[in-house]
Amino acid sequence: MSSHQILQFRSDPFVLSHCCRHTHLTSSLTLQSPLKQPFSGLRFRWRRSNHGGVRSSKTVAQSNNGNRKEEALVSETATTTIELKRVYPFHEIEPKWQRYWENNRTFRTPDDVDTSKPKFYVLDMFPYPSGAGLHVGHPLGYTATDILARLRRMQGYNVLHPMGWDAFGLPAEQYAIETGTHPKTTTLKNIDRFRLQLKSLGFSYDWDRELSTTEPDYYKWTQWIFLQLYKRGLAYQAEVPVNWCPALGTVLANEEVVDGVSERGGHPVIRKPMRQWMLKITAYADRLLEDLDELEWPESIKEMQRNWIGRSEGAELNFSILDGEGRETDKKITVYTTRPDTLFGATYMVVAPEHHLLSYFVTEEQRQQVEEYKDFASRKSDLERTELQKDKTGVFTGCYAKNPANGDAIPIWVADYVLASYGTGAIMAVPAHDTRDNEFALKYNIPIKWVVKNEADSSDDAKQVYPGLGIIENSSSSETGLDINQLSSKEAGLKVIEWAERTGNGKKKVNYKLRDWLFARQRYWGEPIPILILDESGETIAVSESELPLTLPELNDFTPTGTGEPPLSKAVSWVNTVDPSTGKPAKRETSTMPQWAGSCWYYLRFMDPKNPEALVDKEKEKYWSPVDVYVGGAEHAVLHLLYSRFWHKVLYDIGVVSTKEPFKCVINQGIILGEVQYTAWKDQEGNYVSADNEERLNEHQQVTIPEEKVMKSGDHFVLKEDPSIRLIPRVYKMSKSRGNVVNPDDVVLEYGADSLRLYEMFMGPFRDSKTWNTSGIEGVHRFLARTWRLVIGLPQSDGSFKDGTIVTDDEPTLEQLRTLHKCIAKVTEEIESTRFNTGISGMMEFVNAAYKWNNQPRRIIEPFVLLLSPYAPHMAEELWSRLGHPNSLAYESFPKANPDYLKNTTIVLPVQINGKTRGTIEVEEGCSEDVAFVLASQDEKLRKYLDGQSIKKRIYVPGKILNVILDRTNVKVATK
């Protein structure tokens, strides 16, 4: 179908509406009724739908039956033919070049590349192929990496730009539980949809390297990495608390728990200890921290990782538990503190509800109350328990401990704001110098003792919490021999550590917030853990590497067992086995790996995706490592990147990889938010209430106002029909529940993939969050249409375009060369700096300038088409082809700016008339007086002073000024 498109359908208003939404309309439409009586004109009044499309609300037609206008909705039974013109034929161009790229494998990176050439490995963070498909937020990062990949190919680099799927995970398994559909079936269907959508956007991925974490050939090597961790003591089992839902009979992931209840069904969830596989990431904490300094990452990401690792220096101190008579027992509670200088100020202790000694020292009088509190705490997440703003709760255990510094007996409390997973699961509480401890002490009437004096505060108010450093006071004991009075906090801390080590009361300690990685899920849809457990002894045995991959058994029932056992335990014939080395009966591990596993190392497999003998060939890894640019969302700034770095360092230690770090440069793209939603309020009578009085708005009904009924008034938005009614504009993340998701398929159908790519890059700085506005895409769409007409020419009367171009073989002028090379310099610099929006601005400036020229020389237009190609590859390929080139432009040399054309050889020359400055002109350096005068007389602003006037004389100082002196004779200035 040509760009002059004919659509024929029953004129149901909905069908008409749907058709028009999916087709970009120009002002030229014709409508013919089934009665063969043509309408002489057709207008549409439009309103924007929530999903960003366009639909007609009413048609107004003027018939040829006299001069009378007839206004009516189109009859539901009438058959109407609408002729639609597209501003350029993207609907033909884009599928054509997508087929070409696929058939010719244009972007395939050979297995064996010329390693003498520079390499560029650019990677998108692994997407999870959800059933919802892409929304317009997803292509933001993909478009950016594609622009970079296309640029580097044209600059002569070997480019690795692959795509694959992080396809294990919870959503597919939940769908399987609800519908009985095997998660593999759902996953493959979702992958097919994602792949189709990505291809429709023209991304230059090497699809020959496509991989999925769910394929046995891939997870064979995920299992192999696990075995290397296990052999080195970095994979172990431990009792850790998990989210257990008794009603559902299953362990839930954190994202399945909302406000203490299951997302599915709203059932209570408790924290229950279970034996789980753990990875000892803490063994690499120092290296993960130190090597951050070598990375070209945003400082914000590096700081987030530093905070997550949370290295601190302090002391471990031992507090002896006292019996009912106040005598020391052989049991001690060890605490970690970064402030040993405040030891004398510790007036109570707090242990976590899960502390391993709690059941030992709690008194019988307090046991029931403590057990009830433990049950209460088990229903909260760690995040809820440590929320600073929450009301502190706790229970006295009935037991006391001895403060080692002064011998005081201090009460031991149990409270949920202390976590068993952090530090030692116990703290010494210093309420005078810690806000959280102070709140707890005030609530439960626990003594407070001030031991640090704030040197900067001379007031006598000693009742204020002071968490800072200062001079130590009230900190001396002749009984223990420790005296730190009048020392600075730093000096006192060192002295306390030295004393503790000498007396056996503690030691210096480096601690980390970082916890070992919980590496097991009680789910079916994940990588099987290659471990056997001997029936007789419970000993764990590694599956032989020669037996990998250990594949998932086929199951028809994916529902939870109800006992806490994973669904894999239902595959009895798969679970029951023997240890090949001893012949002893054994069972397979029935937990599976978490979704993080496959995405920790996929960047390595892309280098060598079909290798059956090794995770990655050493020479290929050495050439392609590290990833040069890694782009993804900020939500992965900590865990995914930290886990990948951990695995990479282990692989480095065993000689699999040649670099210490996997990703040289990480970029987080911003979020694309949904379209602005305008909110108004109505009172009980249905009258609008202005948002000026926000405090009382909750009393009124909230309504959403369509964009076409809104206008800007000063700094506010108001109703068009009543500007006294102020509205509240808000933007939200795109989500199904809000109904603000924009499907890229709709945008591509209406405007084309190149327009979508260009708009997402033009919305604003790549790293910033931006608000989607479907009407905004029309601007870049017009730019592409102007570019098309600049090269191809105007459409014919039927709306189609001639073959070929209007480009000439004329030699370009100096002005044209300068315009081109300024554009080349601008676009190149902005792409390489990921300032994609200003690169587009540079191309728009070029097109604006080119429309003023009398011709379009080939030497100017061809380089510009190459500049355009990373952004709008479909149009660029078509223009390149029409310019007479038989092959794709994907590997053509990217234009280079000639510095000679970048020099600014023009100057601004002031022009005076009778000694008074009337304007300026732009002239070349060394311009003659005659040329300067001609330019002045042609200037629109100056010519009104010169036209028809006679000249007495001209005073010209080259490069400085032109002064024209007029007289009153009748001699006229020639201004043309």
Side-chain angles (χ1 to χ4, degrees):
M1 187 179 291
S2 74
S3 61
H4 197 84
Q5 188 178 26
I6 307 294
L7 297 177
Q8 192 168 26
F9 46 82
R10 288 172 59 85
S11 293
D12 182 287
F14 172 78
V15 179
L16 180 63
S17 151
H18 185 76
C19 169
C20 294
R21 179 170 68 85
H22 287 298
T23 311
H24 183 68
L25 301 175
T26 70
S27 58
S28 175
L29 301 110
T30 61
L31 179 70
Q32 187 173 2
S33 77
L35 304 176
K36 304 302 181 185
Q37 180 177 341
F39 294 107
S40 62
L42 177 68
R43 301 194 309 278
F44 287 93
R45 289 206 294 268
W46 306 103
R47 54 190 169 92
R48 188 68 56 179
S49 68
N50 285 338
H51 47 67
V54 178
R55 61 173 182 257
S56 82
S57 57
K58 204 169 191 181
T59 59
V60 184
Q62 178 178 325
S63 90
N64 285 346
N65 184 13
N67 294 322
R68 181 171 56 88
K69 289 186 178 180
E70 298 176 356
E71 182 175 314
L73 285 173
V74 180
S75 164
E76 291 188 8
T77 58
T79 299
T80 307
T81 300
I82 290 186
E83 187 178 82
L84 305 170
K85 292 183 181 179
R86 299 180 189 267
V87 292
Y88 77 94
F90 62 82
H91 62 296
E92 296 173 351
I93 294 170
E94 293 180 354
K96 168 187 172 180
W97 286 102
Q98 289 163 17
R99 287 191 300 271
Y100 176 93
W101 295 328
E102 184 158 2
N103 293 339
N104 290 276
R105 299 164 78 193
T106 302
F107 307 114
R108 177 178 177 271
T109 303
D111 290 333
D112 297 311
V113 297
D114 179 1
T115 56
S116 66
K117 293 172 63 177
K119 65 91 178 178
F120 184 66
Y121 186 0
V122 58
L123 185 63
D124 299 294
M125 288 188 183
F126 231 14
Y128 175 76
S130 67
L134 297 176
H135 63 63
V136 292
H138 293 111
L140 179 65
Y142 304 155
T143 304
T145 57
D146 193 59
I147 290 170
L148 293 169
R150 288 176 178 274
L151 171 70
R152 290 292 189 240
R153 281 194 201 94
M154 299 173 76
Q155 290 177 330
Y157 286 72
N158 289 325
V159 172
L160 187 58
H161 187 37
M163 175 52 71
W165 318 104
D166 187 13
F168 276 129
L170 195 59
E173 186 162 351
Q174 286 295 97
Y175 188 76
I177 292 170
E178 294 167 6
T179 66
T181 307
H182 197 285
K184 183 175 182 179
T185 303
T186 305
T187 298
L188 292 175
K189 180 181 177 182
N190 293 346
I191 287 174
D192 287 343
R193 183 179 182 194
F194 261 66
R195 187 192 303 110
L196 190 65
Q197 286 183 297
L198 291 177
K199 287 186 175 182
S200 75
L201 296 173
F203 298 133
S204 61
Y205 294 124
D206 178 358
W207 288 106
D208 284 7
R209 293 175 183 262
E210 179 185 8
L211 54 84
S212 168
T213 55
T214 62
E215 295 301 321
D217 286 347
Y218 179 85
Y219 69 69
K220 166 186 177 178
W221 298 105
T222 309
Q223 293 173 332
W224 182 87
I225 295 173
F226 177 86
L227 291 180
Q228 310 317 305
L229 294 163
Y230 177 77
K231 292 172 185 176
R232 286 158 180 79
L234 297 171
Y236 65 96
Q237 287 186 299
E239 290 278 334
V240 294
V242 296
N243 300 313
W244 170 253
C245 179
L248 297 177
T250 187
V251 174
L252 300 179
N254 287 333
E255 58 266 32
E256 294 178 283
V257 182
V258 180
D259 296 329
V261 299
S262 62
E263 187 178 37
R264 183 166 57 94
H267 304 293
V269 175
I270 63 173
R271 300 284 283 172
K272 175 182 176 180
M274 288 186 66
R275 196 158 183 80
Q276 301 278 21
W277 282 98
M278 309 289 292
L279 296 188
K280 201 169 186 179
I281 189 174
T282 51
Y284 281 73
D286 280 328
R287 289 168 62 182
L288 289 168
L289 190 63
E290 292 162 5
D291 292 346
L292 282 171
D293 295 334
E294 303 174 13
L295 299 176
E296 298 175 23
W297 293 13
E299 193 57 39
S300 59
I301 298 179
K302 293 198 284 188
E303 193 60 27
M304 288 171 71
Q305 293 219 350
R306 291 187 187 105
N307 292 336
W308 191 268
I309 296 168
R311 186 183 190 277
S312 62
E313 294 184 1
E316 275 190 351
L317 300 172
N318 300 320
F319 289 69
S320 296
I321 298 174
L322 304 178
D323 64 17
E325 304 297 325
R327 295 185 297 265
E328 290 187 51
T329 67
D330 60 352
K331 300 291 186 186
K332 298 180 186 295
I333 297 176
T334 300
V335 304
Y336 171 78
T337 177
T338 59
R339 293 293 303 275
D341 59 310
T342 64
L343 178 57
F344 281 91
T347 60
Y348 68 102
M349 299 189 73
V350 181
V351 298
E354 305 85 2
H355 196 280
H356 66 286
L357 288 177
L358 178 56
S359 60
Y360 164 77
F361 62 73
V362 63
T363 64
E364 289 304 316
E365 293 82 4
Q366 292 295 108
R367 189 172 298 278
Q368 181 178 347
Q369 196 175 355
V370 167
E371 291 299 322
E372 289 174 354
Y373 186 79
K374 286 170 63 177
D375 180 66
F376 164 77
S378 73
R379 303 179 188 278
K380 294 183 181 181
S381 68
D382 289 354
L383 188 63
E384 291 173 309
R385 286 172 56 172
T386 55
E387 171 59 48
L388 292 176
Q389 304 305 319
K390 83 176 187 74
D391 183 43
K392 306 298 184 293
T393 62
V395 172
F396 177 45
T397 65
C399 188
Y400 291 81
K402 177 184 175 182
N403 184 326
N406 54 21
D408 290 352
I410 59 176
I412 307 172
W413 287 69
V414 56
D416 62 4
Y417 74 84
V418 176
L419 302 178
S421 59
Y422 179 67
T424 64
I427 65 166
M428 66 175 206
V430 185
H433 305 292
D434 182 276
T435 303
R436 185 180 55 177
D437 295 345
N438 184 267
E439 292 172 356
F440 191 91
L442 291 174
K443 180 175 181 178
Y444 294 104
N445 199 28
I446 299 172
I448 299 174
K449 181 180 179 181
W450 278 263
V451 294
V452 182
K453 185 176 181 180
N454 181 3
E455 291 183 282
D457 186 2
S458 59
S459 68
D460 295 329
D461 187 2
K463 301 302 180 184
Q464 294 296 317
V465 180
Y466 176 60
L469 304 179
I471 298 299
I472 305 301
E473 60 184 2
N474 303 322
S475 299
S476 176
S477 171
S478 58
E479 180 183 337
T480 63
L482 179 61
D483 182 359
I484 55 175
N485 278 333
Q486 302 308 309
L487 297 178
S488 69
S489 289
K490 184 176 181 181
E491 292 170 329
L494 293 174
K495 188 170 182 178
V496 169
I497 293 172
E498 182 274 327
W499 168 83
E501 290 180 334
R502 177 166 42 82
T503 59
N505 285 303
K507 61 183 180 180
K508 184 178 181 178
K509 177 73 173 178
V510 174
N511 201 31
Y512 300 89
K513 289 183 181 177
L514 180 67
R515 302 292 91 200
D516 282 343
W517 177 8
L518 176 59
F519 196 75
R521 294 170 66 248
Q522 284 65 55
R523 295 287 178 176
Y524 168 74
W525 193 232
E527 299 93 338
I529 296 176
I531 291 291
L532 305 180
I533 300 100
L534 296 181
D535 289 353
E536 197 172 280
S537 63
E539 181 186 357
T540 56
I541 306 293
V543 170
S544 170
E545 291 179 14
S546 63
E547 295 182 24
L548 301 180
L550 174 61
T551 57
L552 277 171
E554 291 295 326
L555 277 185
N556 295 320
D557 180 11
F558 317 104
T559 57
T561 59
T563 64
E565 286 292 311
L568 275 179
S569 62
K570 298 178 182 180
V572 178
S573 61
W574 180 85
V575 172
N576 294 319
T577 185
V578 296
D579 174 20
S581 60
T582 64
K584 294 180 179 180
K587 288 183 173 55
R588 298 192 189 279
E589 173 60 63
T590 53
S591 292
T592 53
M593 298 185 194
Q595 186 175 352
W596 296 103
S599 61
C600 274
W601 70 280
Y602 68 104
Y603 59 93
L604 293 170
R605 193 61 176 173
F606 277 138
M607 300 174 187
D608 192 16
K610 304 293 193 296
N611 191 336
E613 306 299 328
L615 183 150
V616 62
D617 176 80
K618 285 185 178 295
E619 292 303 313
K620 291 178 180 177
E621 183 279 327
K622 191 174 181 180
Y623 177 72
W624 287 112
S625 286
V627 176
D628 293 284
V629 176
Y630 192 35
V631 175
E635 65 272 19
H636 302 299
V638 176
L639 294 182
H640 163 62
L641 290 176
L642 202 60
Y643 294 157
S644 290
R645 294 180 63 221
F646 165 47
W647 276 30
H648 192 88
K649 290 182 183 301
V650 174
L651 294 174
Y652 175 78
D653 289 348
I654 64 177
V656 175
V657 298
S658 60
T659 63
K660 292 182 180 180
E661 290 286 339
F663 313 116
K664 182 180 178 182
C665 173
V666 170
I667 301 174
N668 292 139
Q669 81 268 22
I671 298 171
I672 293 185
L673 303 168
E675 292 196 87
V676 178
Q677 295 183 359
Y678 301 94
T679 304
W681 284 263
K682 287 186 175 181
D683 60 21
Q684 292 181 346
E685 287 74 36
N687 300 315
Y688 282 111
V689 177
S690 180
D692 294 305
N693 189 358
E694 295 189 25
E695 294 180 2
R696 300 189 60 187
L697 291 181
N698 291 335
E699 302 173 9
H700 305 296
Q701 179 188 1
Q702 184 173 305
V703 292
T704 300
I705 305 298
E707 184 180 3
E708 61 267 22
K709 294 185 177 182
V710 178
M711 71 178 188
K712 188 85 182 287
S713 176
D715 294 332
H716 304 295
F717 291 91
V718 298
L719 274 179
K720 280 184 180 178
E721 62 186 52
D722 184 356
S724 68
I725 302 299
R726 184 160 71 84
L727 311 175
I728 299 294
R730 290 192 179 96
V731 292
Y732 302 93
K733 287 184 69 173
M734 290 187 182
S735 66
K736 280 184 178 180
S737 61
R738 291 195 177 276
N740 64 348
V741 172
V742 179
N743 189 332
D745 298 349
D746 292 343
V747 180
V748 169
L749 191 59
E750 189 171 349
Y751 295 100
D754 284 342
S755 291
L756 176 60
R757 290 169 60 111
L758 219 62
Y759 177 57
E760 298 222 348
M761 294 297 97
F762 193 57
M763 290 174 72
F766 179 58
R767 293 165 175 80
D768 293 356
S769 293
K770 296 160 279 276
T771 302
W772 179 267
N773 184 350
T774 300
S775 61
I777 201 172
E778 293 168 0
V780 294
H781 190 62
R782 286 193 298 271
F783 162 69
L784 287 175
R786 295 188 76 215
T787 302
W788 177 262
R789 295 193 301 271
L790 180 72
V791 182
I792 302 302
L794 295 173
Q796 301 178 96
S797 59
D798 64 354
S800 64
F801 292 88
K802 291 181 179 179
D803 293 336
T805 70
I806 59 171
V807 171
T808 70
D809 291 321
D810 299 341
E811 282 298 309
T813 65
L814 182 60
E815 177 196 354
Q816 290 171 330
L817 287 168
R818 283 179 176 163
T819 302
L820 170 66
H821 285 269
K822 285 180 181 177
C823 184
I824 293 172
K826 176 78 170 177
V827 172
T828 306
E829 179 183 355
E830 301 305 79
I831 292 178
E832 292 184 338
S833 301
T834 64
R835 296 189 294 263
F836 304 106
N837 56 322
T838 48
I840 296 171
S841 297
M843 291 187 286
M844 288 178 170
E845 290 170 6
F846 173 89
V847 170
N848 288 339
Y851 262 89
K852 299 174 184 177
W853 302 337
N854 295 324
N855 62 354
Q856 307 300 332
R858 181 178 296 275
R859 281 181 55 194
I860 301 297
I861 296 302
E862 288 194 347
F864 176 73
V865 170
L866 297 176
L867 283 181
L868 178 67
S869 64
Y871 287 92
H874 306 90
M875 174 179 281
E877 288 276 23
E878 181 66 18
L879 295 177
W880 191 251
S881 173
R882 292 193 180 209
L883 286 164
H885 301 279
N887 299 320
S888 167
L889 54 64
Y891 295 91
E892 292 291 329
S893 293
F894 199 75
K896 293 183 179 180
N898 186 333
D900 292 340
Y901 296 123
L902 301 180
K903 295 175 183 176
N904 189 5
T905 60
T906 62
I907 59 172
V908 176
L909 185 73
V911 178
Q912 293 182 343
I913 309 295
N914 290 336
K916 187 172 183 178
T917 302
R918 296 294 188 179
T920 60
I921 56 173
E922 192 171 286
V923 299
E924 293 288 329
E925 290 181 356
C927 172
S928 68
E929 178 182 335
D930 288 341
V931 170
F933 178 72
V934 168
L935 291 173
S937 62
Q938 292 175 343
D939 182 84
E940 185 176 347
K941 185 176 179 181
L942 293 169
R943 68 184 302 166
K944 66 182 179 181
Y945 297 104
L946 297 173
D947 196 13
Q949 301 296 320
S950 59
I951 305 298
K952 184 175 181 180
K953 66 175 179 177
R954 299 188 311 222
I955 302 171
Y956 180 60
V957 181
K960 300 294 184 182
I961 197 166
L962 171 64
N963 187 6
V964 181
I965 307 298
L966 305 178
D967 64 17
R968 301 304 176 188
T969 66
N970 242 343
V971 180
K972 291 188 176 181
V973 177
T975 59
K976 295 188 179 181

